Amino acid sequence: MNNHYQALLQSRMNRESYEKLAALNNPKVMSFVGFFVDHCRPESVYVCDDSEHDIRHVRSRALETGEETALAKAGQTIHWDNYGDQARDRQNTRIMVPGEKLESMSALNAIDLKDGYKEIQKIAKGIMEGKEAIIQFFSEGPTESPFTVPCIQFTDSWYVAHSEYILYRSAYHHFLKMKDSEKDDFFCFLHSAGALDERGNSLNLDQRRIYMDTHNNIVYSLNCQYAGNSVGLKKQAMRLAINKAGREGWLCEHMFVMAAIDEEKNRRTYFCGAYPSACGKTSTAMIPGEKIVGDDIAYFRNIDGAFRAVNVEFGMFGIIKDVNEEDDPVIFENLMKEQELLFTNVLMGPDRHPYWLGMGVDTPEKGRNHFGIWQKGAVDDKGAEVRIAHGNARYTMRLDYLENIDKEGFESKNGVQVEGILYGGRDSDITVPVEESPSWRDGILLKAATLESETTSATLGEEGVRKSDPMAITDFLSYPLGQYTMNNIRFGEQVDQAPRIFSTNYFMKSAAGNFMTGKLAKKVWLHWAEGRLHGEYDAYDTPTGKIPRYEDLATLFQKHLKEEFSKDDYDYLFSFRCAGWIGKLERTKAFYAKMDPHTPQELFDYWDQAIEHIRAAKERFGDVILPGVYRP
Ligand code: SPV
Ligand code: MN
């Protein structure tokens, strides 16, 4: 062990903390912690293990330091990020790569490893002065399993530490039990909120940096608090894991894991699904009557030939906007309970209850929110109206509070066997509500790669712009898109039975601009896919896959929603739109060309053939092809 760090660490920690660290007998942990204690200069350091005592300590420090405020209901707290720190910062999120890789990574906002490191060192120097730092140990996925990725979090924010305890599995014991040969292989996260203003918020947002070193599996996150930027195990770990998985032959995906339940037939069928932010991912995983395993990040591994998945998280960091009694009854009910709930960037009313956009109740006209002291009609210094809560305000909650959790899948060390994968974008005029892909490869190239959405408030910048977002992964890619796509194809082709791939789209609008289906129609699309996996429904061919027949959907609408589904709506929703699809494929090609100059030619060849195929269909059947009319 490095003696210099030993003396330093002993001088900054109480004996208990130091002993917890030393007991791990892990030189890499010691040098990571030692180096950054030396460099960031926290006044003291607290080392956490998995104990209830430490979890409680973190919770109470978050309140004592003012990073969180207690709400009226026991267990509920609220945290605000500084105004302008309410979403992921794309511009300042960069992948650090060696110089020779910069060219192929230029579209991923890469920075030269040496330059990035220098910049980080400069900003991080002394950044924790006067503060207490926290060291925690976690696992992505279940501990002591084939999926486990151990992680260490170093932060000076009790709010971040608290979030991590809710969202991930504490893994101090896992670290304790590591064999010598495993002691090098874990992810490291350094976070500092930086200098704070009088509200306890990151002051130097212009110095906000989230830099990932995929080579050494370290992420540096400085001068920010929004969890998507600061919580190491969330989107930072995801970027490291995507890279690691690419090297090792497994997959890390931006997906929910859920079980579709058919009570009558006593079936539990596991699905994963990728949806860009605010495109219905959590609400799909939370469809009433089904079971949730996870709502954001999944690892896939080939275990003895089986395609298996885990939710890597333990909790959810969910968008709270539009969570109300009618649309999200299960979550809403949970948010009303006296239990550990951490609200961010919503309003605390004079009654000390939380209020948000689309909550479906009368809301106060004043209170405290991410803007500070707020009252209705408040404007920021750019003259923009500040609403009651931010559009990307969130709740942080343990998943096992949910009565619809799939306990078995959630706790399984070997994950669950996935049978179907859904890719869903936000598309008002092209993609049908549900379509099955003929093969894994077609699914990746026609469903996953063509995913598009309109931008939402989950990222900083303009809202409402239509964007390509293959696999909903673009924001998190840590190696080039073409290779990543090839790895996806390869992974599915190497298991005994790849899941079947479906596209979904909940956002089709009528000619008059209204949504065509209610929010729960997704249950019907899911159960059609579930039935298909069990050989139940016939389907019509389209140039890109297979769609449901009217009769089956009408029955499913009756069965699950007690609703009529009209033939006219069916015809409109399930028509194949040739010009629309050709445009979509052209945009996909352009996006891949822009994102990855080395995208394999075979991918472009595939899309060119698909375009030719659709052109031929258009000649034979017209631009808008009614369901059932197309013949291959
Ligand atoms: C998302 O935007 O995809 C999220 C929230 O899950 S964040 O942590 O900001 O990525
Ligand atoms: Mn996400």
Side-chain angles (χ1 to χ4, degrees):
M1 195 180 319
N2 185 319
N3 280 329
H4 170 62
Y5 290 147
Q6 181 175 345
L8 172 75
L9 292 178
Q10 282 173 329
S11 74
R12 302 293 162 91
M13 293 177 187
N14 65 21
R15 162 121 51 94
E16 244 183 317
S17 276
Y18 184 78
E19 279 171 4
K20 285 183 201 165
L21 210 53
L24 297 177
N25 196 15
N26 186 321
K28 191 174 159 184
V29 168
M30 273 312 194
S31 57
F32 169 68
V33 175
F35 184 87
F36 286 103
V37 168
D38 190 29
H39 191 73
C40 302
R41 293 196 220 114
E43 194 172 292
S44 65
V45 182
Y46 188 91
V47 178
C48 296
D49 58 23
D50 308 332
S51 65
E52 191 54 41
H53 172 270
D54 282 351
I55 296 172
R56 258 191 266 126
H57 179 68
V58 166
R59 274 189 217 132
S60 55
R61 290 294 292 146
L63 289 169
E64 284 160 18
T65 55
E67 283 190 81
E68 291 176 32
T69 301
L71 290 168
K73 284 190 182 142
Q76 299 194 354
T77 59
I78 189 166
H79 161 85
W80 296 283
D81 302 311
N82 203 356
Y83 197 72
D85 191 25
Q86 271 77 36
R88 276 186 276 114
D89 179 355
R90 279 195 174 119
Q91 205 184 334
N92 290 304
T93 298
R94 307 185 77 172
I95 312 281
M96 300 155 77
V97 293
E100 68 273 15
K101 284 198 185 161
L102 265 181
E103 184 261 343
S104 67
M105 296 276 290
S106 58
L108 302 181
N109 205 12
I111 182 169
D112 182 88
L113 190 60
K114 286 201 214 79
D115 296 345
Y117 193 67
K118 244 193 252 157
E119 203 183 337
I120 290 297
Q121 290 296 306
K122 194 163 160 231
I123 298 175
K125 190 162 186 173
I127 197 169
M128 296 183 182
E129 261 168 25
K131 291 198 199 171
E132 188 174 2
I134 309 125
I135 309 287
Q136 294 168 294
F137 300 88
F138 292 104
S139 159
E140 294 280 22
T143 56
E144 298 169 56
S145 83
F147 291 91
T148 310
V149 174
C151 301
I152 172 168
Q153 173 79 58
F154 185 147
T155 178
D156 61 9
S157 162
W158 296 97
Y159 156 71
V160 168
H162 183 197
S163 300
E164 300 263 22
Y165 264 144
I166 299 176
L167 291 172
Y168 301 95
R169 290 178 173 87
S170 190
Y172 178 78
H173 262 87
H174 184 100
F175 271 82
L176 260 185
K177 287 167 74 175
M178 275 182 181
K179 298 192 197 83
D180 282 344
S181 61
E182 301 165 341
K183 282 185 176 170
D184 261 357
D185 197 9
F186 54 89
F187 291 171
C188 301
F189 303 106
L190 176 78
H191 167 257
S192 173
L196 304 177
D197 64 13
E198 69 290 348
R199 294 199 295 145
N201 289 145
S202 294
L203 187 62
N204 299 320
L205 295 184
D206 59 326
Q207 298 281 299
R208 182 166 52 197
R209 299 287 184 278
I210 304 104
Y211 281 9
M212 350 252 149
D213 173 354
T214 56
H215 196 68
N216 298 299
N217 283 328
I218 302 183
V219 182
Y220 309 96
S221 164
L222 304 174
N223 294 305
C224 58
Q225 281 159 315
Y226 170 68
N229 297 319
S230 64
V231 168
L233 273 91
K234 196 151 187 83
K235 290 315 200 302
Q236 305 171 14
M238 188 175 166
R239 294 178 181 92
L240 297 184
I242 286 171
N243 195 279
K244 181 178 170 69
R247 280 182 273 120
E248 297 175 354
W250 47 283
L251 295 174
C252 168
E253 296 296 313
H254 193 200
M255 288 193 185
F256 65 65
V257 185
M258 72 179 297
I261 305 295
D262 189 317
E263 295 264 2
E264 282 165 22
K265 302 191 175 91
N266 204 10
R267 284 196 308 235
R268 175 184 303 232
T269 309
Y270 287 102
F271 281 84
C272 291
Y275 294 66
S277 238
C279 285
K281 183 157 56 125
T282 300
S283 59
T284 304
M286 288 293 296
I287 295 174
E290 323 298 342
K291 300 253 181 212
I292 184 171
V293 180
D295 82 320
D296 200 31
I297 305 168
Y299 288 174
F300 294 157
R301 280 192 182 261
N302 176 337
I303 297 184
D304 301 327
F307 189 115
R308 300 194 68 94
V310 287
N311 166 22
V312 306
E313 303 185 284
F314 185 75
M316 63 202 296
F317 177 60
I319 295 182
I320 202 164
K321 181 174 174 232
D322 294 331
V323 172
N324 55 55
E325 187 145 35
E326 191 177 333
D327 297 325
D328 277 302
V330 180
I331 292 179
F332 187 81
E333 228 172 85
N334 264 288
L335 298 185
M336 295 295 120
K337 286 188 186 165
E338 296 209 334
Q339 57 187 7
E340 185 178 29
L341 292 167
L342 174 39
F343 295 87
T344 46
N345 302 322
V346 301
L347 183 86
M348 178 175 77
D351 56 3
R352 297 185 84 83
H353 286 296
Y355 294 93
W356 56 88
L357 296 164
M359 188 179 178
V361 301
D362 287 339
T363 52
E365 312 236 310
K366 59 178 190 193
R368 222 179 122 188
N369 68 8
H370 57 295
F371 184 64
I373 304 297
W374 176 87
Q375 57 185 351
K376 204 175 169 159
V379 289
D380 65 13
D381 58 9
K382 293 197 181 77
E385 190 192 338
V386 183
R387 293 181 297 177
I388 185 167
H390 194 272
N392 192 36
R394 303 259 171 173
Y395 59 90
T396 303
M397 177 175 83
R398 298 166 65 109
L399 261 160
D400 61 3
Y401 285 169
L402 298 175
E403 41 277 43
N404 57 329
I405 191 164
D406 180 65
K407 262 210 166 315
E408 228 174 282
F410 186 63
E411 282 165 9
S412 163
K413 299 245 186 224
N414 284 320
V416 299
Q417 178 145 1
V418 184
E419 295 186 62
I421 293 187
L422 311 178
Y423 287 99
R426 188 178 268 269
D427 181 346
S428 53
D429 54 11
I430 306 169
T431 313
V432 299
V434 61
E435 184 177 65
E436 178 184 322
S437 179
S439 75
W440 175 260
R441 188 186 173 82
D442 292 307
I444 296 297
L445 293 177
L446 283 182
K447 308 287 189 242
T450 62
L451 212 53
E452 289 182 318
S453 83
E454 283 155 25
T455 50
T456 70
S457 45
T459 48
L460 302 175
E462 202 181 340
E463 286 186 38
V465 183
R466 191 173 182 130
K467 286 199 170 152
S468 292
D469 191 3
M471 290 84 159
I473 206 92
T474 322
D475 276 353
F476 312 107
L477 275 176
S478 47
Y479 70 98
L481 179 61
Q483 256 178 36
Y484 164 80
T485 305
M486 293 305 289
N487 281 340
N488 247 278
I489 293 174
R490 230 171 271 135
F491 183 82
E493 289 180 347
Q494 281 168 0
V495 292
D496 295 340
Q497 194 173 8
R500 253 188 263 174
I501 294 178
F502 300 82
S503 62
T504 66
N505 174 27
Y506 309 144
F507 302 94
M508 242 348 221
K509 286 187 174 165
S510 66
N514 302 316
F515 287 121
M516 291 287 296
T517 48
K519 288 197 175 166
L520 278 178
K522 47 175 85 78
K523 188 172 179 78
V524 169
W525 319 138
L526 175 72
H527 278 274
W528 182 77
E530 194 267 350
R532 283 289 295 173
L533 292 174
H534 297 282
E536 282 177 357
Y537 306 117
D538 280 335
Y540 293 129
D541 286 309
T542 78
T544 52
K546 288 176 187 299
I547 52 168
R549 294 181 318 175
Y550 172 68
E551 300 73 35
D552 297 326
L553 291 182
T555 310
L556 286 166
F557 265 95
Q558 264 312 331
K559 175 172 168 192
H560 292 290
L561 306 178
K562 308 260 178 302
E563 271 178 31
E564 298 286 326
F565 181 55
S566 79
K567 179 71 166 45
D568 283 350
D569 282 0
Y570 168 76
D571 283 342
Y572 182 86
L573 282 166
F574 284 91
S575 283
F576 187 84
R577 292 161 170 86
C578 293
W581 259 99
I582 291 169
K584 194 184 261 296
L585 288 167
E586 292 291 359
R587 286 193 296 277
T588 302
K589 282 170 55 188
F591 187 72
Y592 269 75
K594 183 185 89 179
M595 289 296 290
D596 180 4
H598 304 292
T599 299
Q601 185 55 37
E602 63 175 288
L603 300 190
F604 294 111
D605 292 346
Y606 177 95
W607 291 314
D608 282 334
Q609 274 175 24
I611 289 169
E612 272 320 301
H613 186 62
I614 296 169
R615 284 219 176 92
K618 184 174 167 177
E619 299 242 313
R620 282 170 66 203
F621 305 103
D623 183 36
V624 177
I625 308 174
L626 282 168
V629 170
Y630 175 78
R631 295 281 173 279

